[in-house]
Amino acid sequence: MQTKNFIGFPEQKLIAIFEELGEPGYRARQALTWVYHYGIKDFMEMTNLSKNLRTRLAERFHISLPKINKKDLSRDGTIKYLFELSDGKMIESVWMPSDSRRTLCVSSQVGCRLNCSFCMTATMGLQRNLEASEIVGQIMAVNEDLQEKDSISNIVLMGMGEPLDNYDALVDAVRIMISPEAMKISTRKVTVSTSGLVDKIKKFQEENLHVNLAISLNATENATRDVLIPINKKYPIEVLLECLRNYPLKPQRRLTFEYILLKGINDSQEDAERLVHLLKGIPCKINLIPFNPFAPSQYLPPSVETVANFQNYLIERNFTTFVRKNRGADIMGACGQLAASSQSQPVPA
Ligand code: SAH
């Protein structure tokens, strides 16, 4: 019998298997604790489980993480990890330290099929979905690689891929991230980022996970957004925002809107005005992301002054607005620059 990866395996299904084996549910939680809290990779080391149970588990499961193939260290302290998966495919994750947190930007697919015109991952097309084990495996492998003091505090699903286009694995992975028996990361510290797949956003809210949701809005008019994010033709701006106005948020929680700034495309004063109009009344914060260049993209970032004016206009209208630093740009680790293996060509400074 082919064994399944214990990493990423859903807790509820695990409890069901334990019950089939005549074991109470709390034993499943003990096994989870060994793996996710203590990093144990061999069932035989789970000494509070019977020898018989350990053997039965080892017959059904293996415990393995994606392999770190390469690490690039940026001048700003960011580390880009290249992972080799069991079928030889490559994905990237980016670890970003700041004063108060250490964030890992995690991939959800090998490539992506949404074909956004400003995104390097799009140039790969979709090669395959990641499994839940490969999504949470990125976090575990990076934590094992780093010293305890550098261990990851926040997760953003903003790496390669569209998380909601790999729905089932994404939900399984998020459940493991936030489960007290497994990775026990606070729901406030996990962010799922989407290009705006409205049907999947509606489904996701039903899961009651209450992690943060970020939406890559990126434009204020459908004509522009259709070009930047072709899925906009299926889910245009007004449909997306209507869905988000009804998105259930816990008290004190807000949506995040990401807005890439492309010189001459979506960075005008009129864009800032339309953005204010579109987002009025939605509890949210805005992250402006000046375009991170990659060859052979024709887009350019706006001037520092244009970015500052855009930000100030939003702040003056009471929107919490940040400009995202392009962390790790010198190692092609910044937003939208992930495309694994030899495809990553550094951009001349
Ligand atoms: N598919 C998801 C998550 C991956 S993209 C999504 O669309 O949200 C993560 C963020 O990076 C998105 O907000 C996207 O708009 C932004 N991005 C992509 N390419 C970029 C680039 N070259 N420069 C700056 N931001 C980029």
Side-chain angles (χ1 to χ4, degrees):
M1 188 165 70
Q2 224 198 340
T3 61
K4 290 192 160 64
N5 201 344
F6 189 91
I7 307 287
F9 195 79
E11 190 169 333
Q12 287 313 317
K13 286 192 189 163
L14 193 69
I15 292 172
I17 289 181
F18 272 63
E19 282 168 357
E20 255 171 54
L21 294 172
E23 297 282 347
Y26 74 86
R27 294 269 177 227
R29 298 197 185 94
Q30 287 176 327
L32 288 165
T33 305
W34 279 114
V35 171
Y36 292 105
H37 298 191
Y38 299 106
I40 294 297
K41 302 252 172 29
D42 179 351
F43 291 104
M44 295 308 153
E45 289 177 39
M46 301 183 178
T47 46
N48 55 358
L49 305 182
S50 72
K51 279 233 170 79
N52 178 42
L53 177 57
R54 290 183 240 166
T55 310
R56 308 282 286 275
L57 288 174
E59 284 164 7
R60 287 166 186 256
F61 292 105
H62 60 278
I63 304 172
S64 67
L65 299 179
K67 205 173 96 209
I68 297 171
N69 176 290
K70 191 162 160 263
K71 268 170 83 171
D72 289 319
L73 183 62
S74 161
R75 281 190 290 268
D76 64 21
T78 298
I79 305 174
K80 183 172 77 171
Y81 286 88
L82 177 68
F83 285 104
E84 183 173 345
L85 307 176
S86 54
D87 61 354
K89 298 231 181 275
M90 303 286 197
I91 52 163
E92 293 179 330
S93 315
V94 182
W95 178 86
M96 295 165 284
S98 68
D99 292 344
S100 56
R101 55 177 86 164
R102 286 125 354 246
T103 303
L104 191 72
C105 178
V106 171
S107 292
S108 56
Q109 296 179 312
V110 185
C112 186
R113 62 172 171 165
L114 295 187
N115 206 21
C116 299
S117 60
F118 50 82
C119 178
M120 187 163 170
T121 305
T123 62
M124 301 170 68
L126 178 64
Q127 300 191 5
R128 74 166 169 84
N129 279 330
L130 293 186
E131 291 167 12
S133 63
E134 295 166 328
I135 299 175
V136 298
Q138 294 167 62
I139 306 167
M140 296 172 73
V142 169
N143 270 339
E144 283 189 4
D145 182 64
L146 296 171
Q147 292 179 13
E148 182 103 34
K149 68 173 176 49
D150 293 328
S151 64
I152 296 158
S153 61
N154 293 58
I155 307 292
V156 292
L157 281 135
M158 296 183 186
M160 297 163 66
E162 164 54 46
L164 295 185
D165 190 37
N166 180 13
Y167 189 85
D168 292 342
L170 183 266
V171 168
D172 283 350
V174 169
R175 283 193 205 287
I176 294 204
M177 291 175 205
I178 64 178
S179 162
E181 269 72 46
M183 302 180 96
K184 52 174 184 183
I185 305 171
S186 157
T187 56
R188 294 176 171 278
K189 299 192 167 178
V190 176
T191 301
V192 173
S193 181
T194 179
S195 56
L197 307 186
V198 170
D199 293 350
K200 297 290 169 56
I201 293 173
K202 288 181 178 163
K203 196 169 168 198
F204 191 66
Q205 72 192 43
E206 304 292 322
E207 311 279 351
N208 282 322
L209 299 171
H210 298 291
V211 295
N212 302 312
L213 185 67
I215 304 93
S216 300
L217 188 60
N218 291 354
T220 59
E221 292 179 303
N222 283 320
T224 308
R225 198 166 190 268
D226 283 349
V227 175
L228 301 183
I229 308 183
I231 198 75
N232 190 65
K233 292 179 197 143
K234 185 166 178 195
Y235 304 115
I237 294 176
E238 59 284 0
V239 173
L240 173 60
L241 289 178
E242 169 67 17
C243 153
L244 297 169
R245 280 182 198 284
N246 295 314
Y247 192 83
L249 288 169
K250 290 226 158 158
Q252 316 291 326
R253 302 284 285 266
R254 294 185 281 180
L255 295 171
T256 298
F257 285 95
E258 294 163 280
Y259 192 94
I260 188 173
L261 284 165
L262 303 163
K263 183 177 180 178
I265 308 274
N266 64 357
D267 62 344
S268 68
Q269 172 66 22
E270 291 74 33
D271 280 300
E273 289 168 13
R274 279 190 294 265
L275 190 56
V276 165
H277 184 68
L278 288 171
L279 301 186
K280 204 186 288 165
I282 303 181
C284 66
K285 61 178 181 164
I286 302 170
N287 277 339
L288 300 175
I289 319 174
F291 176 65
N292 290 309
F294 59 91
S297 173
Q298 302 300 313
Y299 292 120
L300 293 170
S303 68
V304 173
E305 193 193 351
T306 303
V307 174
N309 289 342
F310 204 99
Q311 179 186 25
N312 287 335
Y313 183 86
L314 298 172
I315 290 175
E316 283 161 13
R317 268 110 203 128
N318 294 322
F319 284 94
T320 308
T321 309
F322 301 100
V323 175
R324 189 94 74 67
K325 287 193 216 133
N326 61 349
R327 303 289 306 267
D330 56 331
I331 51 167
M332 289 298 285
C335 267
Q337 292 187 324
L338 303 186
S341 82
S342 54
Q343 303 198 37
S344 313
Q345 295 298 329
V347 176

